[in-house]
Amino acid sequence: MRSDSVTKGMQQAPHRSLFNALGLTKEEMERPLVGIVSSYNEIVPGHMNLDKIVNAVKLGVSMAGGTPIVFPAIAVCDGIAMGHLGMKYSLVTRDLIADSTECMAMAHAFDALVMVPNCDKNVPGLLMAAARVNIPTVFVSGGPMLAGHVKGKKTSLSSMFEAVGAYAAGNMSEEDVLEYENKACPTCGSCSGMYTANSMNCLTEALGMGLGGNGTIPAVYSERIKLAKHAGMQVMEMLEKNICPRDIMTEKAFMNALTIDMALGCSTNSMLHLPAIAHEAGVELNMDIANEISAKTPNLCHLAPAGHTYMEDLNEAGGVFAVMNELNKKGLLYTDLITVTGKTVLENIKNCVNKDPEVIRPIDDPYSVTGGIAVLKGNLAPDSGVVKRSAVVPEMMIHSGPARVYDCEEDAIDAIKSGKIVKGDVVVIRYEGPKGGPGMREMLNPTSAIAGMGLGSSVALITDGRFSGASRGASIGHVSPEAAVGGPIALVEEGDIIEINIPENKLNVRISEEEMAKRKANWQPREPKVKTGYLARYAKMVTSGNRGAILEK
């Protein structure tokens, strides 16, 4: 046992004295030490219930013969951070979470870990840490929020942001906005649509790192507590069998995750996080393969914001394993891979049936024959850009229009809300990438304002930043190379015609190579927006969006 280095032998007597100071008994010190990584805090709605999840995990570990010891991980609420300086600090926490968890796990010689995340950066951050530390590890999230109800219809956080845009357009009263404000987010949990947090919790199941139901059992269900107890018990079985994260998170497992990503219609942020997690697991995940997988993977789910079903509906329909079982009917998954259950993918999913074909479309009757995400390339995005294809209306799949260019999110929002953006326009928001932001802010406010003002079916938005999973419409993010390093998005001028062709995976600006070269020769780097503190260090180390915004070693 790794923990022998702090609990066994005369040389470790000083270590044991400190365990005595913690109140640990001799019996507890003789058992495996299991670190419980708790993302609990009182500022993130998706994390306010994690104390109960952690307590359940501790019970599970203890019942199975381990000694559970809790330590924390930080978490940012993307919704609260949205639209101001705080959003610069969201993506960057992914690496802080991974680094700090690695430090705690290695410094204290834990034998195994149970990760308890829920929201956007905690799940990928802890998956990165799990791959790095590579000791037996299982994940159990805090679970999704139940949908809100406004005027007899289910709703969620994306509807709340769009309500603000509708109010700005004069299409909604202050009283109506207040009703959304009080009812859109009715419980604890990660926001109720297929946004980034729920996408990553579902993909944790797809990777084989979480038990069935990890991504879909609502936060307020007692079933979530039982799942947490089982997770605590399961990590002890993994320890006995020496099943480690890199045994599970293989290249084929990431192919499965991308396939399920396409079927579920996950957040485009998964295209940032999966490469970063894979990198830590020693797998180089080139996003060029995303379109190959999308081409053969049908989109089976249209959860909010793409449609009118929510995580609670996916759970009742059979959850992620039911989606996987549908995909396996056409042999789209690698099913012989080991998972945290100690069983193969096939053994996990074989009895998980689709209980609601309106929520999970049958494999022969999909929403579309291609997947929910597309990677675009062209002279505007030589490396890549990403769009949630399943949330784009048909009339915007192919679009061309004049560029309306803004060098920060705030200027774009002012233009949208003041009526300067009209039907057919392509809003370009740049210098918001990983380096340029710094921190690659999410653009939920601009996309929600566009939708709320009734322009969602006629206006596109392109950025080197990224989008919330709650964004919908022709929203193309992660444009790489980003503006801060002189990528073509930095060279676009007001009125340039931008051409979007999602079915053909193309993103171009209609100017000649000679004109592009001339503009490039005249381009000058901008002064960094942030010159001190963590963000300044992050900006110097971070890579582009197409590489997962990983930090250079």
Side-chain angles (χ1 to χ4, degrees):
M1 289 288 175
R2 283 163 45 88
S3 60
D4 288 355
S5 62
V6 293
T7 59
K8 302 289 193 302
M10 184 55 66
Q11 191 66 32
Q12 281 66 44
H15 304 75
R16 289 194 296 275
S17 72
L18 293 169
F19 283 120
N20 284 323
L22 289 170
L24 291 188
T25 65
K26 179 175 181 290
E27 291 81 5
E28 286 174 301
M29 283 185 254
E30 290 175 348
R31 295 176 175 182
L33 301 185
V34 180
I36 316 297
V37 186
S38 172
S39 301
Y40 168 79
N41 65 40
E42 295 183 346
I43 189 64
V44 183
H47 290 214
M48 63 181 285
N49 65 317
L50 294 190
D51 55 341
K52 296 176 178 60
I53 303 298
V54 166
N55 285 336
V57 170
K58 289 174 69 178
L59 278 172
V61 169
S62 295
M63 285 190 289
T67 298
I69 301 175
V70 179
F71 65 87
I74 63 168
V76 163
C77 176
D78 278 24
I80 294 173
M82 194 71 64
H84 59 93
L85 177 65
M87 182 44 69
K88 294 180 184 289
Y89 286 89
S90 170
L91 178 61
V92 305
T93 64
R94 185 185 71 182
D95 296 277
L96 286 173
I97 292 160
D99 292 349
S100 59
T101 301
E102 174 196 356
C103 291
M104 290 293 288
M106 299 304 290
H108 301 102
F110 287 108
D111 297 303
L113 298 170
V114 181
M115 306 293 199
V116 187
N118 209 29
C119 289
D120 295 28
K121 307 311 162 310
N122 290 77
V123 186
L126 291 179
L127 282 165
M128 289 164 69
R132 249 187 241 175
V133 177
N134 201 36
I135 59 177
T137 303
V138 66
F139 278 66
V140 57
S141 76
M145 185 183 290
L146 293 178
H149 289 82
V150 176
K151 302 186 189 307
K153 294 183 179 180
K154 286 185 177 181
T155 190
S156 62
L157 183 66
S158 54
S159 301
M160 180 70 254
F161 275 90
E162 290 177 16
V164 175
Y167 175 78
N171 297 326
M172 188 175 283
S173 68
E174 188 172 346
E175 291 75 17
D176 287 334
V177 174
L178 182 62
E179 184 175 9
Y180 272 95
E181 185 178 325
N182 288 322
K183 295 180 178 179
C185 300
T187 71
C188 62
S190 47
C191 296
S192 56
M194 188 54 82
Y195 308 150
T196 303
N198 292 325
S199 294
M200 294 310 302
N201 282 321
C202 288
L203 293 179
T204 299
E205 287 187 57
L207 279 169
M209 290 296 294
L211 302 179
N214 177 70
T216 59
I217 298 171
V220 295
Y221 283 14
S222 297
E223 188 68 23
R224 174 66 55 180
I225 300 296
K226 292 163 67 176
L227 183 75
K229 291 176 183 176
H230 282 129
M233 289 185 271
Q234 191 58 41
V235 81
M236 296 305 295
E237 182 180 323
M238 293 176 69
L239 181 59
E240 182 181 344
K241 295 179 178 179
N242 194 32
I243 300 173
C244 296
R246 291 196 182 194
D247 301 323
I248 296 169
M249 289 194 284
T250 62
E251 183 176 358
K252 288 181 178 178
F254 283 100
M255 296 303 103
N256 279 353
L258 280 171
T259 300
I260 295 152
D261 191 333
M262 297 300 172
L264 288 171
C266 290
S267 163
T268 52
N269 280 313
S270 64
M271 296 292 106
L272 277 177
H273 299 321
L274 286 175
I277 299 161
H279 180 73
E280 296 291 350
V283 175
E284 291 307 313
L285 194 61
N286 188 332
M287 280 297 96
D288 288 348
I289 201 169
N291 287 337
E292 295 177 32
I293 291 176
S294 180
K296 61 183 181 182
T297 306
N299 177 226
L300 304 181
C301 299
H302 264 193
L303 284 89
H308 300 289
T309 53
Y310 295 82
M311 296 305 297
E312 63 202 64
D313 302 311
L314 179 59
N315 187 63
E316 294 303 317
V320 176
F321 281 6
V323 174
M324 293 173 71
N325 208 16
E326 283 290 336
L327 293 170
N328 196 43
K329 290 176 182 178
K330 290 199 172 179
L332 295 175
L333 298 177
Y334 296 101
T335 58
D336 60 344
L337 311 181
I338 195 68
T339 70
V340 291
T341 64
K343 300 176 182 177
T344 64
V345 170
L346 181 61
E347 290 174 309
N348 288 339
I349 70 173
K350 63 182 179 181
N351 296 318
C352 299
V353 299
N354 182 358
K355 300 175 183 177
D356 190 341
E358 294 302 312
V359 177
I360 304 172
R361 287 283 185 89
I363 193 76
D364 293 320
D365 184 28
Y367 281 102
S368 66
V369 295
T370 53
I373 291 177
V375 175
L376 311 184
K377 288 192 175 186
N379 70 349
L380 187 52
D383 290 338
S384 68
V386 179
V387 64
K388 188 171 184 175
R389 174 165 41 196
S390 59
V392 180
V393 294
E395 54 267 39
M396 289 299 288
M397 287 290 190
I398 299 175
H399 177 77
S400 64
R404 300 290 175 246
V405 183
Y406 304 95
D407 286 351
C408 66
E409 176 188 5
E410 289 80 2
D411 290 350
I413 292 171
D414 289 345
I416 295 164
K417 290 187 175 180
S418 63
K420 294 178 181 177
I421 304 302
V422 298
K423 181 178 179 180
D425 283 349
V426 178
V427 177
V428 176
I429 305 178
R430 61 192 182 189
Y431 294 99
E432 291 286 8
K435 285 185 180 294
M440 205 178 186
R441 287 195 286 181
E442 287 184 341
M443 301 294 159
L444 180 55
N445 276 345
T447 58
S448 298
I450 287 169
M453 297 186 76
L455 297 170
S457 61
S458 61
V459 169
L461 196 156
I462 296 172
T463 181
D464 53 7
R466 59 196 178 94
F467 292 105
S468 165
S471 292
R472 61 188 176 99
S475 304
I476 302 166
H478 311 188
V479 170
S480 303
E482 63 173 293
V485 298
I489 193 170
L491 312 178
V492 175
E493 296 181 356
E494 186 78 10
D496 284 347
I497 300 300
I498 292 178
E499 300 173 331
I500 301 164
N501 190 322
I502 295 173
E504 294 185 6
N505 304 312
K506 292 179 180 178
L507 179 62
N508 289 293
V509 56
R510 197 187 297 168
I511 60 174
S512 67
E513 291 183 14
E514 292 77 14
E515 176 63 18
M516 185 76 83
K518 179 181 175 183
R519 294 182 187 181
K520 176 69 175 176
N522 292 328
W523 177 80
Q524 294 292 325
R526 303 289 178 90
E527 278 288 311
K529 292 179 183 176
V530 179
K531 298 180 181 179
T532 60
Y534 180 64
L535 285 179
R537 282 184 280 129
Y538 180 87
K540 290 178 181 177
M541 298 173 67
V542 71
T543 62
S544 62
N546 69 301
R547 293 182 58 191
I550 62 172
L551 301 184
E552 293 283 11
K553 291 191 188 317

